[in-house]
Amino acid sequence: MWNTKRGTCLHSKGELWGLFILLLYTSPPSCSSNFSHLIYKIKEGLPKAILIGAIGADLNLDLSVNPPRSFNLELKTAGQQYVNLNNTTGELFTSAVEIDREALCAESHEGQGCAIFLDVLILPQQYFQLVKVKIIIEDVNDNRPHFPVEEIRVPVPENAPVNARFAVEQSAVDPDIGIHSVQTYWLVNDYGVFTLDVEENEGGELTPFLIITESLDRETQAEYVTDIIAEDGGSPPLLGTATLRIIITDVNDNCPKFTESLVNVTIYGNATKGMQLARLQAYDPDEGANALITYAFSERVTQESRNLFHLDTNSGILKLAGKIDNNTGKLFKLIVLANGPTCIPEVATVTVHVIKQLSGPPAVIPRYIASEKDGVVSLSESEPPFSPIAFFTIKNTEPQQKIECLLEGAGPFRLVPYEHFKNEYLLETTELLDYEQQQDYEMVIVVRNSHGLVVNTVVKVHVLDVNDNAPVFKQSFMDLTVEENNPPNTFLVQLQATDADSESRGEVYYLLGADAPTIFDLDRSTGVLTVSTSLDREEKETYRFMVRAVDRGTPRKESIATVIINVQDRNDNSPRFINKDFTFFVPENFPGFGEIGVLTVTDADAGENGWVALSILNGSDIFVIDTGRGALRAKTPLDREQQGTYYVWIEAIDGGEPALSCITMVTVLLLDVNDNPPTVLFPQSNQSYMLVLPNTLPGTSITEVYAVDRDTGMNAVIAYSIIKRTDGEPGSFDIDPYTGNITLRKALSNRGLYSLWVKVRDHGQPELYSTVLVNLFVNETVSNETLIQSLLPRSVDIDHGELPPDKEGRKGEQVPNMCGEYQVLLLALTAICLGLFLTVVSLVTYICCKKRKPKKKRLDIEIPLKLNHEMVDKNPMEISNI
């Protein structure tokens, strides 16, 4: 017993797929079942992870048992690549490999269908079951019909009756099946005389038939071209297109017709044999063998007439074949038939009047010098003037009879008597012939005797062409423009030259001149000029070369033309600065809007594409740039002490579309100018002071003057010097010119306030300086601050020019830079200082012992020179060396 179970699945995005499941198995589901058969249906082309069916649910299996069931695909199954199986639930999903029904079942017929067969094993052993799964792949309309050829030719005879049917053998094919295959055909343009019908054979294949709805006439229209459309039954339907060329074949439905059915010819009794009398012409609008015409005399034409006159069966030329009796006048009536295949002959009547002459008209006998055939003289256009064509001899004249011979007709010809013989005339040219102006001439030689009898002889001249014309260019000078960066094989121009000569002499082919670059190609036949590579205007802007047009005559003639190729610029080059970056050195305090430096930028493009504008990306509040010259300027003077280096980013933008740009960095380094005097940081005030113990030993560092200079280099190198002293003992203190360190030069014998004016100067040009007052109060203690404050100078009037150090000599004062004769004095002063130093040391030792204070190492104490009294220790420490 077979049961059926149907299921559906939804796309993960909520899109409903037309899928259904057919479940068949041999017995009701149970744990003891070991074989089942499931059938699912899906459409081809589904994406990954679309549910095909749930085997466990469709078999009503309990998935909560322990140990759990496991679903497994048998390996090496052809359809395994198209599905993914959930081993726990038995759910089948589409895999990443898309199913293409036409590729999967390419060899199966429509009636067989297309399916994937899978074997699913349910384990472990106690649940073992083999499930045969068949997945039927349904067709979707994913292929459009297509014809095996791009153009289909259908021959149709012009006498095809209305409703006649002609099969279009190259019918369209569609890999899809069913309603998605080809369902109908139709014409884009039926011209009102065609329609299409579709017939289905036993195999279900559709064949379009072309049906004639109106009568056809090849002579009216020989061909019909339209498009045939094949349409499938999908929604929306897909179309296939091919060109349908309907060729109307000729049938013999037309018969010959004479252009003239009645022809009258008059000849004289002495007319010469072979004289052309007339040319009968008939035409047939059919083609090929159906249009073949032959000429013949009717059976009613007598044998006498047949012997006297000859009719060419192909050309219809009627000539005199025998000699006419000059003594009799006669009328001949000739019936001429024009015969066509399967046609009733067309009839024309030629009446020949033979005029009787008593003495007979003059006879004109031509003797051709130039080439002649069928009464037509061929003469080359290269023949010089006065080239002979033919002699004409006049006969049948009486000795005393006067003969007049004239030439009638237009053309460069003349008929002149030949001086050596009577009744001989020479036909010759009078100037050069020109085939290109006129190819054929027809003249009449008119001979008239004294009896008034006239004989006309027609002379035809055909001019033969020679290669006397060189090709002529339509344009001998071509000025072309092409954009650079063009794709290879870009079309430039098609050369056009014509040659007035005929046949091969007028055929023209084209060649490049010897000066043409190899990057240009010229098609010999069509004259199409192309450039094989991409052009670069920056490499070369203009190409100038010659082209040749040559004919195929002998000797060959040619002409030349000039081609100029102007390569039009495109904005394919960015502006470029001549340097990767720029560095400019300028002194500080450089005047505002002074030129700091010039940035040079180039652009290889031309015109607007090569116009470059400069702009500042940062620092535009400080700097400006001249976009024309590229000059960088500062809006205001710059101070190195505020900022010593500036980094400015400059952008160059061209005028192209789209614009191209580049960026460079400009470093502006400010060079120092000596515009800042030294600043004294210590002492902080001229009203500050420092306590110095009287027993301080010579050489002891008392304090220092500390100053800084905001300039750099030599402008910031500081030198210290004492320019004035107001102490009780001149020369008691020295200052180090480099460090500003003030040391005791000799032992102090006086107590009280010592004031030193210190000059602090730099080494710049011009030299700048500052002054500071260093106050040293020599005493054991600071017991009376009011007294000290009263001793401090309130106002000092000092010349701040370049003053030398105070040299007013006091006993024992050392003068800097002593040399020569002062060496003895210097030694004496050194001995005195040493003695004073030992005395001070002894005195300090005594005081220390008396006060029972512990021994101390040398201690240098510097008290800031402040006006604030709290900065002065009320019990200052002693400065001594032990």
Side-chain angles (χ1 to χ4, degrees):
M1 178 178 179
W2 294 85
N3 293 332
T4 303
K5 190 174 184 66
R6 188 181 301 272
T8 60
C9 67
L10 295 177
H11 191 278
S12 59
K13 296 183 178 179
E15 182 179 350
L16 180 61
W17 295 90
L19 309 178
F20 65 90
I21 309 169
L22 178 64
L23 171 62
L24 300 174
Y25 48 91
T26 56
S27 61
S30 66
C31 294
S32 61
S33 299
N34 55 13
F35 174 78
S36 296
H37 189 188
L38 295 177
I39 299 178
Y40 300 104
K41 287 187 177 182
I42 62 172
K43 293 187 180 297
E44 64 172 325
L46 293 179
K48 181 182 179 182
I50 298 299
L51 178 64
I52 300 174
I55 297 175
D58 293 338
L59 295 177
N60 296 325
L61 298 179
D62 185 4
L63 302 180
S64 63
V65 298
N66 190 20
R69 285 182 170 87
S70 172
F71 298 84
N72 301 277
L73 280 174
E74 183 181 356
L75 300 178
K76 298 181 181 180
T77 305
Q80 184 177 1
Q81 60 176 327
Y82 299 107
V83 298
N84 291 327
L85 176 62
N86 189 312
N87 301 103
T88 304
T89 63
E91 292 177 326
L92 272 175
F93 296 91
T94 56
S95 70
V97 181
E98 185 178 293
I99 301 176
D100 184 358
R101 190 198 65 81
E102 289 75 29
L104 181 64
C105 304
E107 299 180 356
S108 64
H109 302 293
E110 181 176 348
Q112 295 178 343
C114 182
I116 297 174
F117 297 93
L118 303 173
D119 289 344
V120 180
L121 302 177
I122 301 177
L123 300 174
Q125 186 64 35
Q126 57 266 39
Y127 308 127
F128 174 76
Q129 190 172 354
L130 173 63
V131 181
K132 294 284 187 178
V133 178
K134 179 180 180 181
I135 303 175
I136 298 175
I137 310 302
E138 294 186 332
D139 184 46
V140 297
N141 193 26
D142 57 347
N143 292 280
R144 64 175 63 250
H146 69 276
F147 289 89
V149 293
E150 293 183 357
E151 181 177 287
I152 303 173
R153 293 174 173 260
V154 178
V156 176
E158 64 175 328
N159 63 345
V162 175
N163 295 326
R165 303 166 67 86
F166 297 89
V168 180
E169 297 297 341
Q170 293 91 350
S171 57
V173 294
D174 192 328
D176 296 324
I177 61 175
I179 191 64
H180 297 147
S181 63
V182 178
Q183 299 298 312
T184 186
Y185 293 85
W186 45 278
L187 295 176
V188 173
N189 183 5
D190 59 11
Y191 293 95
V193 295
F194 302 104
T195 186
L196 278 183
D197 189 18
V198 181
E199 292 185 4
E200 184 176 358
N201 60 16
E202 295 180 355
E205 296 179 351
L206 299 180
T207 301
F209 280 81
L210 184 69
I211 301 176
I212 311 302
T213 61
E214 298 289 341
S215 59
L216 303 173
D217 186 3
R218 187 202 64 81
E219 289 71 35
T220 302
Q221 186 167 348
E223 187 177 77
Y224 297 85
V225 180
T226 183
D227 287 338
I228 182 171
I229 307 298
E231 181 178 329
D232 63 20
S235 180
L238 300 178
L239 306 178
T241 305
T243 300
L244 180 62
R245 188 178 297 274
I246 305 169
I247 302 171
I248 309 303
T249 59
D250 185 51
V251 296
N252 193 24
D253 57 347
N254 292 280
C255 289
K257 298 290 183 184
F258 277 108
T259 57
E260 292 182 85
S261 59
L262 294 176
V263 180
N264 293 313
V265 178
T266 300
I267 61 174
Y268 294 100
N270 62 346
T272 58
K273 182 180 179 181
M275 177 181 178
Q276 180 175 325
L277 304 179
R279 181 170 185 170
L280 302 173
Q281 287 186 333
Y283 71 95
D284 190 330
D286 292 327
E287 65 178 359
N290 296 329
L292 184 64
I293 300 174
T294 59
Y295 301 89
F297 285 127
S298 170
E299 295 293 335
R300 291 179 287 175
V301 177
T302 64
Q303 187 63 40
E304 179 187 1
S305 299
R306 291 175 183 269
N307 294 334
L308 192 57
F309 302 100
H310 172 73
L311 177 64
D312 190 286
T313 58
N314 294 321
S315 65
I317 295 176
L318 181 64
K319 293 184 178 182
L320 185 61
K323 182 174 179 61
I324 298 177
D325 188 358
N326 187 35
N327 297 320
T328 62
K330 197 171 184 180
L331 178 68
F332 294 92
K333 190 173 184 178
L334 308 175
I335 307 300
V336 179
L337 304 179
N339 299 303
T342 68
C343 286
I344 298 175
E346 180 74 3
V347 179
T349 301
V350 179
T351 302
V352 181
H353 296 270
V354 178
I355 300 176
K356 179 181 177 182
Q357 299 288 340
L358 293 178
S359 60
V364 180
I365 301 174
R367 290 176 294 164
Y368 294 100
I369 301 173
S371 174
E372 179 269 341
K373 183 179 181 181
D374 295 331
V376 179
V377 177
S378 297
L379 198 62
S380 172
E381 64 175 330
S382 63
E383 293 292 338
F386 307 108
S387 295
I389 299 174
F391 275 115
F392 291 91
T393 302
I394 311 302
K395 292 187 176 182
N396 197 20
T397 60
E398 297 178 2
Q400 304 300 324
Q401 192 177 31
K402 184 179 180 180
I403 299 297
E404 183 181 8
C405 189
L406 304 174
L407 177 66
E408 293 183 352
F413 304 96
R414 70 176 184 175
L415 184 66
V416 295
Y418 193 62
E419 57 185 7
H420 301 290
F421 299 96
K422 184 180 179 182
N423 294 336
E424 295 282 350
Y425 293 86
L426 175 65
L427 178 65
E428 63 183 6
T429 61
T430 58
E431 59 186 54
L432 283 172
L433 302 177
D434 191 349
Y435 172 88
E436 287 71 36
Q437 291 186 1
Q438 188 170 345
Q439 293 87 35
D440 294 286
Y441 297 89
E442 185 171 317
M443 298 162 289
V444 178
I445 307 296
V446 180
V447 179
R448 183 181 294 111
N449 63 13
S450 57
H451 299 292
L453 298 179
V454 179
V455 175
N456 295 331
T457 303
V458 177
V459 178
K460 295 181 179 179
V461 176
H462 176 69
V463 182
L464 299 177
D465 187 33
V466 296
N467 193 32
D468 59 343
N469 290 279
V472 177
F473 277 101
K474 186 176 181 181
Q475 291 178 278
S476 60
F477 183 84
M478 284 160 279
D479 196 345
L480 310 175
T481 300
V482 61
E483 278 194 345
E484 65 174 329
N485 304 329
N486 58 287
N489 301 318
T490 296
F491 171 83
L492 297 177
V493 71
Q494 183 171 14
L495 305 178
Q496 292 182 345
T498 57
D499 193 318
D501 293 323
S502 62
E503 300 178 351
S504 63
R505 293 174 292 273
E507 295 179 5
V508 179
Y509 63 94
Y510 303 90
L511 298 173
L512 289 171
D515 59 341
T518 57
I519 61 174
F520 294 100
D521 296 323
L522 181 59
D523 190 283
R524 291 172 59 96
S525 302
T526 64
V528 172
L529 179 64
T530 58
V531 56
S532 61
T533 186
S534 181
L535 299 178
D536 186 357
R537 188 204 65 82
E538 290 72 36
E539 181 178 337
K540 190 169 184 180
E541 187 171 2
T542 303
Y543 296 87
R544 183 187 183 105
F545 53 89
M546 312 300 289
V547 290
R548 301 161 53 204
V550 186
D551 63 23
R552 299 184 184 275
T554 303
R556 297 190 177 184
K557 293 183 177 294
E558 67 176 62
S559 60
I560 60 174
T562 302
V563 177
I564 296 179
I565 309 294
N566 298 300
V567 184
Q568 188 174 358
D569 184 56
R570 295 183 66 182
N571 194 27
D572 57 345
N573 290 278
S574 301
R576 292 183 179 273
F577 289 95
I578 60 171
N579 296 329
K580 184 178 180 182
D581 49 47
F582 294 83
T583 301
F584 298 123
F585 296 88
V586 293
E588 63 175 329
N589 302 326
F590 194 67
F593 293 98
E595 185 177 292
I596 295 174
V598 176
L599 284 73
T600 303
V601 61
T602 61
D603 194 316
D605 293 321
E608 293 185 0
N609 297 332
W611 296 348
V612 179
L614 300 177
S615 60
I616 299 176
L617 299 181
N618 66 320
S620 58
D621 55 335
I622 302 175
F623 296 95
V624 294
I625 191 166
D626 182 351
T627 189
R629 289 187 58 246
L632 182 66
R633 308 173 190 273
K635 294 181 179 179
T636 59
L638 304 178
D639 188 357
R640 190 205 62 79
E641 286 71 38
Q642 292 184 2
Q643 185 173 341
T645 304
Y646 292 88
Y647 299 97
V648 184
W649 292 95
I650 306 295
E651 182 181 30
I653 304 178
D654 62 23
E657 183 62 36
L660 301 177
S661 63
C662 69
I663 297 175
T664 188
M665 187 183 74
V666 178
T667 303
V668 180
L669 297 175
L670 297 183
L671 302 177
D672 185 50
V673 174
N674 193 27
D675 57 347
N676 292 281
T679 301
V680 179
L681 301 181
F682 187 85
Q684 298 179 350
S685 171
N686 289 339
Q687 299 298 311
S688 61
Y689 64 92
M690 179 178 180
L691 178 64
V692 179
L693 297 179
N695 59 355
T696 301
L697 298 179
T700 301
S701 176
I702 305 301
T703 184
E704 70 174 344
V705 177
Y706 179 69
V708 295
D709 195 316
R710 296 177 61 191
D711 295 323
T712 59
M714 295 303 296
N715 296 331
V717 176
I718 298 174
Y720 301 88
S721 62
I722 299 174
I723 60 175
K724 189 174 182 180
R725 307 170 186 264
T726 59
D727 51 5
E729 297 181 26
S732 301
F733 298 94
D734 278 340
I735 188 168
D736 190 298
Y738 303 108
T739 64
N741 188 33
I742 297 176
T743 57
L744 183 64
R745 181 178 178 186
K746 61 182 180 178
L748 299 173
S749 58
N750 296 328
R751 287 169 173 74
L753 185 65
Y754 291 71
S755 296
L756 307 176
W757 275 103
V758 178
K759 178 181 179 181
V760 183
R761 65 179 180 87
D762 58 27
H763 285 67
Q765 291 295 332
E767 178 185 285
L768 301 179
Y769 65 90
S770 300
T771 59
V772 65
L773 182 61
V774 179
N775 298 306
L776 303 175
F777 183 64
V778 179
N779 199 16
E780 286 79 2
T781 61
V782 182
S783 58
N784 191 346
E785 262 187 56
T786 303
L787 175 63
I788 299 174
Q789 292 295 332
S790 64
L791 295 177
L792 292 176
R794 298 301 179 184
S795 59
V796 180
D797 185 12
I798 297 178
D799 182 11
H800 292 282
E802 188 67 29
L803 298 177
D806 184 13
K807 293 185 179 180
E808 293 182 4
R810 295 186 180 180
K811 186 177 180 179
E813 181 177 359
Q814 180 182 354
V815 179
N817 299 326
M818 297 294 290
C819 63
E821 63 270 20
Y822 295 101
Q823 291 182 359
V824 177
L825 179 59
L826 191 56
L827 292 175
L829 291 175
T830 302
I832 294 173
C833 290
L834 182 58
L836 292 174
F837 174 76
L838 294 176
T839 304
V840 172
V841 170
S842 302
L843 181 59
V844 171
T845 302
Y846 173 77
I847 294 174
C848 291
C849 293
K850 185 176 181 180
K851 293 185 177 183
R852 295 186 179 181
K853 291 185 179 181
K855 295 182 180 179
K856 297 181 181 179
K857 294 183 180 180
R858 177 172 176 243
L859 181 61
D860 296 338
I861 298 176
E862 297 178 359
I863 301 176
L865 304 181
K866 295 287 186 180
L867 293 176
N868 188 352
H869 299 293
E870 294 179 358
M871 295 299 295
V872 182
D873 190 1
K874 300 300 181 179
N875 297 310
M877 296 179 62
E878 296 178 351
I879 300 177
S880 62
N881 291 331
I882 301 177

